[in-house]
Amino acid sequence: MGIDRRSFISFLAGGAVGTLVTPIPWKLTDDISIWTQNWSWIPKNPEGASEYVPTVSKLCPSGCPVRVRTVGGKPVGVRGNAEHPYSRGGVTPLAAAEAELLYSPARVRRPLRRTPDQAYVAISWDEALAILEEKLGAIKGYRGKLAMVSGDPDGTINEVFSAFLAKAGSADFYLMPGEAQVAAKAWNDVMGGQGAVGYDIGNSDMVLAVGADVLESWGQVVRNRKAFADKRPHGEKPKAKYVYAGPVQNNTAAGADAWVPINPGTEAAFLLGLTYQVLKEGFRVDAAPDFDEFKTFVMSNFAPQNVQRVTGVAATTLVAVAKDLLRASAPLIVTGSEFGQGGGGAAMVAGLALNLMLGGLNRKGGLQALPDMPQVVSGAKDAKGLRSADLVAYLADVDKGRTPLPEAMLFYEANAAYGLPEASKAAATLAKVPFKASFSVFFDETAAMSDLVLPVPLGMERWDDICTPYGSGEVNYQLARQVIEPVFEAVNAGDVFLALAAKLGMSLGYSSFRQVLEAKASAIGADLDALQEGKPFTAPAKVTQYALRMNPGVLAKAIKDADKGGDIALAPVFYLRTGTGSTAVPPFNLKTIRDTELLGKESFVQLNAATAGKLGLREGDRVSLSNEAGTCAARVHINEGVMTDAVAALLGFGHTAFDAYSQGKGDNVAKVMKTRFEPGTGIPVWAGAKVKIAKI
Amino acid sequence: MSGHYGQFDIRWGMVIDLDKCTGCGACMVACQAENNVAIQTDASNKRLVTNWMLVFELSNGKSFPDHEVAYLPRPCMHCGNPSCVAVCPATVTTKDEEGGIVSQIYPRCFGCRYCMASCPYHARYFNWYDPVWPEGMEKTLSPDVSVRPRGVVEKCHFCHHRWMQAKDKARVAGEDPKALPQEAYQTACTQACPNGAITFGDLNNPEHTVHELAHSEYAFRLLERLGTEPQVYYMSRREWVRRAGDNYLADEKTGSVKNEHHS
Amino acid sequence: MEEKNTMNPGVKSCTCGALVAPFVVGLIGALIVGWWLFPPLLYSKKLQPVRFSHVVHVEDGGMACSDCHFNREDGSFSGIPNTGKCAECHAEPMGEDPEELRFVEEYVATGKQVEWVRYQVQPDNVFFSHAAHSVEACGSCHPEFEENPRELCNKCHPDVGGSDSAPAAQVNRITGYTSMTMKMWQCERCHANENHFELTEEDEAKHIKPVTRANNGCQVCHK
């Protein structure tokens, strides 16, 4: 018995033929093809019922109203809120990216303590609180030993912080620099105005934005843009005129009917040039006793040819803009800095004065004087006090030894080491502070130099609020609602401070931050249920003014402010799409950055061909921008939308912390934002800084 | 509405008002979040980056101070005569459904990229990399669109899933899924735009805003003389912007290349 | 076999005949392997993590199918209910069944979701609309579905509606799909059938309006 070769082959042949009529080859082929379509490393779609939770973005500085979409209770995206009167469904490119940032590699996942060898080790919240209790307990009651910086421009949480500091004996509570502080100093201090400055863009039929990037980053930007959209029916003549004056043809200029290029830092002269034209028509401000003095000052100094020399604006253009303002029924002048910080007081005063002259005060579509909201945490700095505290001035004083170096500094969502002007110098000053604690969502540059890093929940993970953000035309209040429990060990900083205060024996009167928010809503008379449904609370109240000053003496001094450090004026540009100092660039947003803005690890600055020609530069050349404050490296991109003798540079690059999406990409322009103190007003100004550009 | 791919009762289309767009990029971000478009650590090498929606910068070509800028958001044009459909060897991309949306079926695609070569609008993208999200971030993916692996071509689909959802919502409510009101189906970019620059709807339906806007004297389509008949229209009151929509010879009148559509 | 071993070089034709037998053996063997042994090997059996009785819920509890399996207001389908839905009744154990006790303790008390095994689940690239394939829609032409809706469900899903314990799912070891996961050709039986929704005059007289027209467009079923 045996199987010979032939019969074995026959057996195999039979098996082969048989196999062909079984499912084996066909099913396996099919299954393998299916297998190749479902690689295990390709993520699967989540499942569950969809819900849309209304809230406002605390990530985006504009406080964009949004709806967070959850599937099975987990956030999968952020959309606009179509039912919100401000945004009507629109959303900023930053707010739209919030869901993915929940799991950003840059997030601080648990409390961290820095060891003497500069490494970070994870600690528990109890240990973290114990360290804070020990450090702050030791300096409690001593003036000048503790300082704090908050990156939240308009939340009630600042009351908790400032009350905490006040109880600990410190008055050094500061906000990160923004437009609101400049406006407050101009309006409240220089002009003697009452209340906070607001702008009713929605009802204006002629918006002149001087510096202020109203369609990209300034104020409640989606609301501004909805107002802009309303006034431009498709294919028809616009129902409101928008004019943008600034050194760069930015996104506001792109949408505006006219772009008036002006030299960086010459906004005041431009506005006073317009004032000259308006004064010629006999307009005046009766509420200001020094008006005639002001008139004389303007009429003798701001004739069109003078203005042209300073600002670069042709006399005919100036007259045309003035005519537009005079022709409009509700003209509005919005003054600001192109990049939302560091603008001059003189320009702000000139802009406010022009609004007053055109009868814009508390008029529909005009300048608004808004009352501040009642405070709910006793001992907290009032809104006016918050706006007038100046971090840049404080750090300059510390640097010069005029103010003692604090022993401890606390940061809340404030990336001071990256975002302050003269960034390298500011970081060096902060480095000298012996103990620093950073409460932050992301591991930013400030966290990277802090002794203690404490995770803060992302906007959608916490209860928070927004009180009349700068730029809005009426008093309003919005609640940011917690959509999910924090995905990491983050705790609301409001709750941390309340607990810490209790430990240090200085009760702030609340046991949880939600109670503070509820008290706020009740103090302003807002309906908590409506707020939780994402509806804003608004109040029509305006502040009547009694004794305004035009203060030409201060203006005369301030107008002389100009940086003389270099040949080329720096014109920083701030896009929400590239994130803020505290968020860096969200991964999605990287794609919105052009390859003429960032290529590989190098960022670009933009010059027009005439400027580049003068400097002997060509497209793609590597250059350094430098002045006394520092140096910033970049490549050259020729853009005819930049004024001659100016260099446009995008904010948001050059991060050294955060994650692979932001780290090491380009250079930080803030390093060359040289600060000077404006004569007369004393306001630190870093718009219009001059730089030297050299090929490297 | 002519085309080799049949007559459709519904023709989803877009009209993008370039006088309203200020180039903020919200549409691009909203699109990525909505459609699970993969992120890339270095997004500056634009040949390797996937953008279903991309905002182009247009210049009038003049020197300072006469320079003007405009921004042009570019989704897939969903052409009436899509060149991509004709060249696809695998029936991955078709124009075979009511509504006229040019489809893209990822499991069928084997990555030959003929469609990319044929598309005059560069609206198609090849996945050079497997989509990788940092740990945990995959939990924030949208449930509506499958995640595409490396080696396939992808593109804008007018948020087709939102249409399917709108139809299902109508069915459950006992309404006619074929007669959706304009607001029932809107793309992510349309809703996100704070300037209202993008209008979306049925080009065939006089009750939808796009119907009227597409007939505006300021409306135009990109590269019209190719005869691709896009379902995406643009509009601008500025002549130089309208001229940027095609390759005009110096003596050609703006709009002279227009293929009169027959809707 | 005897003959095969006999050395007889003169009879060559015998060799051919002798080769048929092993061929047939191989053939039959392959058929047995291919049709009987291979399929069970390809699939693993997966049991539900919690024993669930439809009988108890439907017959004893008097619940309707749609109490748990329904179209949501937004048009999507609820599928298998989550723990929260079960907890609406089972916040506390309702009976003596130890399995129910375990379910309440392990899942309801902790809020944990049950990883129910699904017999019919499509990959991410498939979009299936339950709303479009509803009893109302299909029943408008196929009255049998209106009379017995489960018959419609069972076109794709296993008939578990009357079962006391859920059957094991057959999970393909290569693809991870279940044996019931429908293939595209199965969808195309209706979708590619141009006459599927062709309304007859009789239909029109009855004012039958199909909810939608059959469409075999790729993206109708793919996402």
Side-chain angles (χ1 to χ4, degrees):
Chain A
M1 287 280 283
I3 301 168
D4 65 7
R5 196 179 63 88
R6 287 185 169 196
S7 57
F8 182 65
I9 290 172
S10 173
F11 171 76
L12 286 186
V17 171
T19 305
L20 285 178
V21 292
T22 69
I24 294 177
W26 318 113
K27 181 72 179 151
L28 280 182
T29 308
D30 190 32
D31 281 357
I32 288 167
S33 81
I34 292 171
W35 172 66
T36 65
Q37 289 173 6
N38 294 291
W39 299 125
S40 58
W41 58 88
I42 305 294
K44 296 268 180 288
N45 293 143
E47 290 177 6
S50 287
E51 277 179 74
Y52 300 87
V53 189
T55 182
V56 283
S57 175
K58 285 299 281 186
L59 185 79
C60 179
S62 74
C64 184
V66 293
R67 286 185 310 161
V68 177
R69 181 188 183 188
T70 62
V71 167
K74 298 199 173 86
V76 299
V78 173
R79 296 181 179 184
N81 182 352
E83 279 151 31
H84 199 290
Y86 298 168
S87 66
R88 285 173 275 153
V91 65
T92 65
L94 186 51
E98 186 173 331
E100 68 164 357
L101 291 178
L102 269 175
Y103 294 94
S104 161
R107 279 203 69 176
V108 182
R109 284 158 159 74
R110 56 191 69 83
L112 301 169
R113 181 174 59 83
R114 190 160 65 165
T115 59
D117 57 353
Q118 310 297 302
Y120 281 93
V121 291
I123 55 171
S124 71
W125 267 104
D126 285 342
E127 289 173 86
L129 282 176
I131 296 171
L132 281 172
E133 190 187 348
E134 183 209 322
K135 293 280 179 191
L136 303 185
I139 53 173
K140 187 182 134 191
Y142 298 94
R143 211 174 163 75
K145 301 238 172 183
L146 174 66
M148 180 164 186
V149 185
S150 168
D152 185 337
D154 37 36
T156 302
I157 200 161
N158 288 335
E159 288 187 31
V160 175
F161 298 147
S162 72
F164 179 93
L165 257 73
K167 294 233 154 108
S170 164
D172 292 316
F173 179 72
Y174 301 97
L175 301 181
M176 283 293 278
E179 303 268 30
Q181 286 115 304
V182 180
K185 279 178 201 158
W187 178 243
N188 302 132
D189 300 347
V190 180
M191 302 181 77
Q194 301 296 314
V197 172
Y199 297 90
D200 183 11
I201 291 180
N203 290 308
S204 167
D205 63 344
M206 160 76 200
V207 178
L208 169 63
V210 182
D213 205 350
V214 292
L215 301 182
E216 172 58 33
S217 55
W218 182 95
Q220 289 177 307
V221 70
V222 174
R223 191 181 188 185
N224 303 343
R225 293 174 64 179
K226 281 289 166 192
F228 166 79
D230 284 347
K231 296 286 169 63
R232 342 221 110 205
H234 297 288
E236 288 175 33
K237 198 172 171 289
K239 293 193 162 68
K241 186 156 188 165
Y242 278 71
V243 175
Y244 179 74
V248 182
Q249 196 168 40
N250 57 14
N251 289 356
T252 301
D257 301 278
W259 170 44
V260 181
I262 62 170
N263 289 324
T266 63
E267 291 85 0
F270 173 68
L271 284 160
L272 291 169
L274 291 172
T275 306
Y276 177 97
Q277 302 295 330
V278 171
L279 285 171
K280 276 208 307 195
E281 301 296 318
F283 285 82
R284 51 182 302 117
V285 180
D286 293 327
D290 59 355
F291 185 79
D292 291 326
E293 214 180 306
F294 170 76
K295 186 171 179 177
T296 314
F297 164 68
V298 174
M299 296 313 281
S300 51
N301 290 294
F302 296 95
Q305 56 276 22
N306 293 346
V307 175
Q308 180 169 354
R309 206 172 50 241
V310 178
T311 63
V313 179
T316 46
T317 310
L318 196 71
V319 171
V321 174
K323 276 203 175 130
D324 282 336
L325 286 172
L326 290 167
R327 208 179 293 134
S329 61
L332 177 67
I333 297 95
V334 185
T335 320
S337 142
E338 314 94 83
F339 53 111
Q341 46 169 288
M348 189 59 80
V349 171
L352 295 170
L354 189 52
N355 274 309
L356 294 178
M357 253 174 286
L358 292 166
L361 182 64
N362 294 344
R363 183 241 297 134
K364 230 183 153 194
L367 175 75
Q368 314 295 318
L370 306 174
D372 288 319
M373 285 183 182
Q375 293 195 283
V376 293
V377 184
S378 71
K381 258 191 191 181
D382 62 14
K384 204 177 149 198
L386 271 182
R387 288 192 294 266
S388 62
D390 195 313
L391 176 62
V392 174
Y394 169 71
L395 287 179
D397 285 345
V398 168
D399 206 33
K400 298 245 161 62
R402 287 191 291 255
T403 299
L405 186 74
E407 284 187 17
M409 252 184 119
L410 308 174
F411 302 90
Y412 172 70
E413 294 206 306
N415 193 1
Y418 170 88
L420 288 179
E422 309 197 0
S424 316
K425 277 190 177 179
T429 307
L430 297 175
K432 287 186 225 156
V433 179
F435 175 79
K436 292 177 287 295
S438 172
F439 293 79
S440 184
V441 176
F442 303 106
F443 197 85
D444 60 15
E445 284 77 6
T446 308
M449 66 182 329
S450 294
D451 304 276
L452 208 52
V453 184
L454 300 156
V456 168
L458 191 67
M460 65 170 71
E461 294 173 323
R462 69 181 195 235
W463 290 94
D464 212 329
D465 67 352
I466 297 177
C467 312
T468 318
Y470 178 68
S472 59
E474 88 290 287
V475 170
N476 62 69
Y477 181 78
Q478 296 177 83
L479 196 66
R481 180 172 152 177
Q482 184 179 8
V483 179
I484 49 157
E485 286 298 314
V487 297
F488 301 117
E489 290 173 36
V491 180
N492 194 315
D495 290 323
V496 176
F497 273 72
L498 292 174
L500 200 58
K503 272 174 170 256
L504 291 167
M506 41 188 221
S507 169
L508 298 178
Y510 295 92
S511 58
S512 81
F513 185 57
R514 271 197 80 179
Q515 283 182 356
V516 178
L517 296 174
E518 278 161 20
K520 188 77 172 190
S522 130
I524 59 172
D527 174 18
L528 203 61
D529 292 335
L531 289 171
Q532 292 197 18
E533 285 161 25
K535 295 189 176 80
F537 164 83
T538 59
K542 301 279 147 65
V543 184
T544 313
Q545 307 296 324
Y546 297 100
L548 288 172
R549 296 186 300 270
M550 306 305 261
N551 230 330
V554 167
L555 269 182
K557 281 188 213 157
I559 198 85
K560 295 205 176 79
D561 164 63
D563 186 17
K564 296 180 182 68
D567 322 312
I568 305 295
L570 181 68
V573 179
F574 171 42
Y575 292 125
L576 286 177
R577 62 183 161 92
T578 54
T580 66
S582 331
T583 67
V585 193
F588 280 150
N589 300 42
L590 277 178
K591 292 184 190 174
T592 67
I593 300 172
R594 295 172 203 291
D595 56 3
T596 51
E597 294 170 344
L598 180 77
L599 187 59
K601 299 275 184 196
E602 294 173 298
S603 50
F604 287 74
V605 291
Q606 304 179 356
L607 306 159
N608 71 23
T611 317
K614 262 197 251 180
L615 297 167
L617 298 172
R618 298 160 87 164
E619 178 80 28
D621 278 352
R622 290 183 170 80
V623 293
S624 76
L625 275 58
S626 60
N627 56 25
E628 289 159 43
T631 307
C632 172
R635 295 181 68 177
V636 169
H637 172 56
I638 306 295
N639 178 355
E640 294 302 314
V642 180
M643 180 130 198
T644 305
D645 290 338
V647 56
L650 254 65
L651 294 184
F653 296 135
H655 282 286
T656 55
F658 290 94
D659 51 26
Y661 300 99
S662 300
Q663 203 175 76
K665 292 187 175 178
D667 209 345
N668 183 5
V669 191
K671 291 198 282 192
V672 286
M673 288 180 189
K674 203 179 99 189
T675 311
R676 56 204 190 274
F677 286 85
E678 191 178 52
T681 65
I683 295 175
V685 175
W686 55 95
K690 295 275 177 66
V691 290
K692 287 195 167 65
I693 300 183
K695 205 163 155 175
I696 48 172
Chain B
M1 119 155 234
S2 67
H4 309 310
Y5 294 89
Q7 304 267 322
F8 298 114
D9 293 342
I10 299 171
R11 220 160 38 105
W12 296 116
M14 221 174 237
V15 181
I16 305 180
D17 188 340
L18 301 182
D19 295 341
K20 284 191 161 192
C21 177
T22 52
C24 76
C27 54
M28 289 178 68
V29 177
C31 171
Q32 292 177 68
E34 179 78 17
N35 294 300
N36 295 333
V37 180
I39 53 175
Q40 272 150 272
T41 315
D42 179 6
S44 73
N45 186 343
K46 299 300 179 188
R47 287 181 309 139
L48 305 181
V49 171
T50 304
N51 287 307
W52 289 17
M53 172 59 116
L54 178 60
V55 179
F56 285 93
E57 192 178 77
L58 305 182
S59 159
N60 69 346
K62 293 187 179 165
S63 296
F64 176 85
D66 300 318
H67 184 258
E68 279 187 46
V69 69
Y71 294 95
L72 184 142
R74 194 260 21 235
C76 168
M77 298 290 132
H78 296 281
C79 302
N81 289 319
S83 51
C84 52
V85 170
V87 299
C88 179
T91 330
V92 171
T93 184
T94 56
K95 192 181 179 78
D96 58 358
E97 187 187 354
E98 189 56 77
I101 293 175
V102 175
S103 64
Q104 181 77 9
I105 308 302
Y106 311 113
R108 283 192 98 106
C109 178
F110 54 80
C112 74
R113 287 166 274 160
Y114 285 10
C115 58
M116 288 172 68
S118 79
C119 176
Y121 305 106
H122 295 278
R124 296 178 154 271
Y125 293 85
F126 182 67
N127 271 343
W128 289 96
Y129 308 102
D130 262 327
V132 177
W133 282 269
E135 196 192 337
M137 207 182 272
E138 75 284 349
K139 290 180 199 152
T140 63
L141 290 178
S142 145
D144 303 324
V145 185
S146 62
V147 176
R148 287 78 59 190
R150 175 176 58 184
V152 304
V153 169
E154 56 182 71
K155 69 163 190 83
C156 153
H157 56 163
F158 270 177
C159 290
H160 184 278
H161 55 280
R162 289 193 177 203
W163 183 28
M164 301 315 258
Q165 288 163 356
K167 285 200 286 190
D168 280 353
K169 192 175 177 183
R171 287 182 184 116
V172 169
E175 287 156 12
D176 183 2
K178 287 203 69 189
L180 295 174
Q182 177 169 316
E183 62 278 7
Y185 168 35
Q186 291 291 307
T187 65
C189 54
T190 305
Q191 289 185 333
C193 179
N195 288 7
I198 307 176
T199 312
F200 182 82
D202 177 7
L203 291 164
N204 290 349
N205 188 341
E207 285 171 21
H208 288 205
T209 318
V210 286
H211 177 84
E212 189 198 331
L213 295 184
H215 289 83
S216 155
E217 57 177 312
Y218 302 117
F220 65 100
R221 295 182 285 181
L222 299 183
L223 304 175
E224 280 197 83
R225 65 179 104 207
L226 295 179
T228 48
E229 302 273 341
Q231 280 170 221
V232 174
Y233 289 74
Y234 292 89
M235 64 189 296
S236 175
R237 296 169 69 235
R238 291 169 286 181
E239 190 178 358
W240 74 264
V241 174
R242 296 201 297 277
R243 264 185 108 73
D246 215 317
N247 298 299
Y248 283 94
L249 296 172
D251 60 346
E252 276 179 319
K253 230 180 108 229
T254 311
S256 62
V257 298
K258 212 173 237 185
N259 263 320
E260 280 309 316
H261 54 86
H262 320 288
S263 58
Chain C
M1 298 296 252
E2 287 288 307
E3 280 169 316
K4 200 177 165 208
N5 288 330
T6 313
M7 293 299 282
N8 192 347
V11 193
K12 276 200 171 168
S13 60
C14 278
T15 320
C16 293
L19 289 180
V20 172
F23 183 87
V24 172
V25 170
L27 185 82
I28 292 171
L31 291 176
I32 291 171
V33 170
W35 288 102
W36 279 278
L37 299 181
F38 167 72
L41 277 179
L42 185 62
Y43 293 95
S44 66
K45 280 198 164 62
K46 215 170 171 185
L47 288 165
Q48 295 291 0
V50 174
R51 188 176 61 78
F52 179 84
S53 167
H54 275 91
V55 174
V56 168
H57 288 82
V58 178
E59 287 173 19
D60 305 352
M63 290 172 74
C65 301
S66 59
D67 285 347
C68 293
H69 313 297
F70 54 91
N71 285 313
R72 300 190 190 103
E73 210 177 305
D74 68 0
S76 61
F77 186 67
S78 68
I80 299 176
N82 61 19
T83 304
K85 178 81 188 166
C86 301
E88 284 175 14
C89 299
H90 294 277
E92 299 292 330
M94 298 175 78
E96 299 290 305
D97 193 323
E99 186 69 351
E100 193 211 352
L101 234 84
R102 185 175 73 87
F103 170 71
V104 172
E105 274 172 22
E106 258 183 54
Y107 297 95
V108 178
T110 60
K112 199 174 122 187
Q113 295 300 329
V114 184
E115 301 278 328
W116 294 110
V117 178
R118 286 182 292 171
Y119 304 99
Q120 165 61 283
V121 60
Q122 291 291 331
D124 278 354
N125 65 63
V126 173
F127 173 82
F128 180 81
S129 157
H130 279 89
H133 300 85
S134 64
V135 172
E136 297 77 47
C138 299
S140 63
C141 299
H142 306 280
E144 66 271 24
F145 296 145
E146 294 230 295
E147 284 154 27
N148 184 8
R150 246 162 71 188
E151 203 174 305
L152 176 65
C153 306
N154 297 341
K155 289 272 168 203
C156 308
H157 297 280
D159 187 7
V160 292
S163 71
D164 192 38
S165 74
Q170 310 263 328
V171 181
N172 188 305
R173 293 180 200 271
I174 298 172
T175 61
Y177 291 10
T178 65
S179 57
M180 295 203 77
T181 301
M182 277 172 72
K183 303 285 297 190
M184 196 164 118
W185 64 267
Q186 289 168 292
C187 306
E188 285 189 314
R189 281 183 306 195
C190 298
H191 277 270
N193 180 354
E194 282 175 17
N195 299 320
H196 181 219
F197 275 119
E198 195 83 358
L199 298 185
T200 60
E201 278 176 32
E202 198 186 334
D203 289 336
E204 272 160 24
K206 282 197 281 180
H207 301 288
I208 288 175
K209 279 185 189 147
V211 179
T212 183
R213 249 192 355 225
N215 191 325
N216 202 30
C218 302
Q219 226 155 7
V220 173
C221 308
H222 283 285
K223 66 181 173 78

